[in-house]
Amino acid sequence: MGEIVFKNICKSFGETKVIEDLNLTIRDGEFTVLVGASGCGKTTLLRMIAGIGPATSGELYIDGEEISDVPPGKRGIAMVFQNYAIYPTMTVKGNIEFGLKNRKIPKAERETLIAEVAETVGLTPYLKRKPSELSGGQRQRVALARAMVKKPKVFLLDEPLSNLDAKLRVSMRTELIELHHRLKTTFVYVTHDQTEAMSMADTIVLMDRGKIQQMASPMEIYNDPNNVFTAQFIGTPPMNIQKMKDGKHQLGYRAEKVQLSETKPDLLYARKAVVLTREMLGSETIYKLQLEEADDGSGKTAVMAKTPNLMFEVDSRVYIGVDRKDLYYFDEEGRRLRGDGISPSLEKMTAEGGES
Amino acid sequence: MKHKQFRIGKLVLPYVMILPAVALLAVFTFYPLFNMVYLSFFKYDMLTPKKFVGWDNYYQLFFVNIDFIAALKNTVFYTLGVIVFMISLALIFALWLQRSTWVNAIVQRFMFLPHICAMLTVAMVFQWLMDDRGLFNAVLSVFNLPALRWLNSSHTALLSILIVAIWKGVGYYALILLSSVKSIPPELLEAADLDDAGKLRTFFKITLPMLSPQLFFLLITITINSFKVFDAVRIMTGGGPGNSSDVLVFYIYRQAFNYSKYGLSAAAGTILLLILLVMTVIYFRILGKRVHYQ
């Protein structure tokens, strides 16, 4: 069990309001990733759940119980800090054992629990070592073991992989996913890395300036973004967004949906462009292209395309085209238009482009 | 050939670089040190030629002039007192001042002030404060407490000097501890909070071990400084009443400069040196292992 509910949560640091009237339900047993740029309030939310940075106002429930007044140690949660925060003066075993000792768990039981968890994370040979004698990956495991041994209802992870090198980060990612499958408890994971969010999450909560932009599964958030912010935050390169001829509506399309050709394609969206740069990644190639004239007449504008086709040279003239079903429309405020919201006149504008 | 010259130069250069420092140390530290030990086996008054007496000076110290033992006892008592009170007070102040508020910033500066005052002036001011009709007794009388005779009673003389020493030193030591208290990562305390550790347990299991290198440093410097206490005693009590506040260094000073017994004085100095050496070795042996270095 471990369902977390935020109700009308506000948080300010001094004069600055970081979070205003936020409502969010984190479902039991799911791997939920809070993602957003730094300063968006995601860590603030995590610290609220932990009880080490209480909300200014609002209610917070774990399994239906209001926990605002419950001290951090009694909430049935465990947290892995960004810099691990393992106790440098204690051995690995001491670190794992500290929480158990504080709960007055008998020694025999402690020993079994420690042995068990050390085996799971592969720390058994290092139990007598001090943290200073461990590598970054091993310290990370100590932090994990310390959290796991408490058998919490909720795991909180604050950018736990950001201090690891790229290779280790990818392998720890898989390990965390496996761990979640095994434990089947609620994981709340904070990161600013959308790739991490996409690869690990059951549910992504995308935040910006203290507000939830969208909460959905990785597939949904990628394919069906609610707004421009989400469309541009999720996916690399970010979605191309172009102002339309009326200067109000915005048109979006993913780089990987752009079709490049030498002759004008028979698609709803088709524009002339020049290749600015070409990045070959092996399986695919990323082009940066320049349109001579943006649809709203504001001059030159750049778009990204990602395609297996690598034959276009820098400076060559090409046509870019996007299929009708791969186009996204947004209103002036950046909100997504769907279904009936997309009027025939909008599509007409798309087809016309900058021509009048 | 040139290559070889270069290599010799490279070997010699470091020694040339440290030569000035070593020369000064040799003249002003090592020579006096060895000369002191050497002199301790002689009878010497700087007027007549020195005469070898073997262990006689040491015999005198421990079995004839019993005021040496008294001075030694006082010094040990004083040192223990300073260690216990200075470290605990410094720790309390450091913990109290760790929050960065403007009040704390001011308090911190005021606490440091005594450290930059000369002991001479501090001692004289306290002599005046601790006078039979001084401020201290005035405060006691406000609370209807009996007046103390402070420096004039053999019961309180050493204690009074202890108070002055702590008043003068605590700000400095608190500052050292404060800087390390502030350098403890806040996440560690949060992690302890999440691990359901109470306030006391967090203090003893997290904060204190994190401070151990500084506490260890304080322990050693305070021990050495306290064993060498001199100026406050010289000014405030002159070792009295009787020899109730006499201390080792003051004893050494008197033997040498009042009674011209340089040999005896050197022997007492050698004892002091041995005590400090043994203490430091003991500290490192027993406590060194429990100190956590980052």
Side-chain angles (χ1 to χ4, degrees), chain A residues 20-295:
Chain A
E20 238 176 304
D21 201 25
L22 178 133
N23 291 289
L24 170 67
T25 300
I26 293 171
R27 281 190 287 268
D28 174 38
E30 270 196 1
F31 199 119
T32 303
V33 176
L34 303 177
V35 66
S38 43
C40 72
K42 53 194 191 306
T43 301
T44 311
L45 282 187
L46 199 73
R47 292 170 61 85
M48 269 177 211
I49 307 175
I52 50 180
T56 312
S57 67
E59 290 151 42
L60 178 60
Y61 300 87
I62 293 185
D63 288 337
E65 186 198 347
E66 224 285 319
I67 55 155
S68 296
D69 295 327
V70 181
K74 313 269 185 218
R75 292 186 174 196
I77 44 149
M79 180 156 168
V80 177
F81 290 82
Q82 182 169 8
N83 55 8
Y84 317 140
I86 42 182
Y87 312 122
T89 54
M90 299 181 196
T91 59
V92 170
K93 189 181 171 196
N95 264 281
I96 304 173
E97 201 172 24
F98 190 60
L100 300 178
K101 272 188 176 166
N102 293 337
R103 281 177 203 184
K104 312 220 160 50
I105 289 169
K107 188 168 168 66
E109 199 183 332
R110 287 204 309 257
E111 295 292 331
T112 1
L113 282 169
I114 293 167
E116 209 177 276
V117 79
E119 199 56 47
T120 320
V121 296
L123 277 176
T124 312
Y126 307 105
L127 281 176
K128 288 206 174 72
R129 293 223 193 150
K130 283 276 180 73
S132 54
E133 301 161 56
L134 299 178
S135 70
Q138 286 164 340
R139 287 181 204 188
Q140 168 76 78
R141 281 162 210 274
V142 176
L144 265 179
R146 186 175 69 182
M148 282 163 67
V149 81
K150 294 194 270 185
K151 299 202 186 319
K153 286 190 280 193
V154 179
F155 273 95
L156 306 174
L157 302 108
D158 185 9
E159 309 219 15
L161 306 183
S162 59
N163 286 349
L164 301 178
D165 62 70
K167 216 169 181 179
L168 197 55
R169 198 179 310 157
V170 176
S171 73
M172 279 305 285
R173 223 190 263 169
T174 353
E175 277 186 46
L176 280 177
I177 298 171
E178 281 168 17
L179 185 68
H180 175 244
H181 282 307
R182 205 154 358 110
L183 299 173
K184 294 188 171 59
T185 46
T186 313
F187 275 53
V188 185
Y189 186 106
V190 159
T191 180
H192 61 267
D193 180 354
Q194 59 97 13
T195 330
E196 232 166 64
M198 291 291 281
S199 60
M200 301 174 83
D202 293 323
T203 304
I204 293 179
V205 179
L206 177 61
M207 296 185 61
D208 182 39
R209 276 173 263 161
K211 292 207 163 58
I212 295 172
Q213 297 297 321
Q214 190 164 357
M215 176 173 170
S217 71
M219 251 13 256
E220 194 186 333
I221 212 164
Y222 176 80
N223 286 326
D224 197 11
N226 273 347
N227 45 48
V228 172
F229 181 84
T230 310
Q232 292 207 298
F233 195 91
I234 302 288
T236 39
M239 183 186 276
N240 296 304
I241 301 285
Q242 299 280 313
K243 273 238 164 105
M244 298 185 72
K245 202 166 116 190
D246 61 3
K248 288 177 183 166
H249 290 89
Q250 299 174 75
L251 177 70
Y253 46 91
R254 295 233 172 252
E256 47 273 42
K257 300 293 186 190
V258 175
Q259 304 175 27
L260 298 179
S261 56
E262 281 169 327
T263 52
K264 189 168 183 180
D266 185 22
L267 295 166
L268 181 63
Y269 181 88
R271 300 284 185 274
K272 256 194 269 185
V274 182
V275 179
L276 280 182
T277 60
R278 178 172 65 168
E279 278 175 64
M280 287 197 261
L281 304 178
S283 60
E284 52 206 351
T285 306
I286 296 177
Y287 293 95
K288 189 175 181 186
L289 304 135
Q290 192 176 51
L291 305 185
E292 273 305 313
E293 186 67 44
D295 287 4

Side-chain angles (χ1 to χ4, degrees), chain B residues 124-151 167:
Chain B
M124 288 175 86
V125 169
F126 267 84
Q127 209 175 10
W128 176 62
L129 291 172
M130 287 171 167
D131 189 82
D132 283 353
R133 279 176 294 175
L135 184 70
F136 278 30
N137 278 343
V139 172
L140 286 181
S141 76
V142 167
F143 293 101
N144 277 331
L145 291 166
L148 284 177
R149 297 192 58 221
W150 300 105
L151 298 167
W167 178 83

Side-chain angles (χ1 to χ4, degrees), chain A residues 47 50-52 71-74 77-79 81 83-90 95 98-103 130 132 146 150 156, chain B residues 185-198 201-202 204-213 289-294:
Chain A
R47 292 170 61 85
I52 50 180
K74 313 269 185 218
I77 44 149
M79 180 156 168
F81 290 82
N83 55 8
Y84 317 140
I86 42 182
Y87 312 122
T89 54
M90 299 181 196
N95 264 281
F98 190 60
L100 300 178
K101 272 188 176 166
N102 293 337
R103 281 177 203 184
K130 283 276 180 73
S132 54
R146 186 175 69 182
K150 294 194 270 185
L156 306 174
Chain B
E187 299 86 10
L188 276 191
L189 304 175
E190 288 168 0
D193 228 2
L194 282 162
D195 269 342
D196 205 8
R201 224 175 125 70
T202 308
F204 284 109
K205 292 287 170 183
I206 315 284
T207 312
L208 218 47
M210 290 299 281
L211 296 178
S212 57
K289 280 184 215 124
R290 305 189 58 182
V291 173
H292 164 80
Y293 293 101
Q294 290 283 19

Side-chain angles (χ1 to χ4, degrees), chain B residues 256-277:
Chain B
F257 300 109
N258 291 358
Y259 312 134
S260 293
K261 291 180 180 173
Y262 291 95
L264 193 68
S265 165
T270 307
I271 302 281
L272 175 60
L273 175 74
L274 283 177
I275 291 174
L276 290 180
L277 270 178

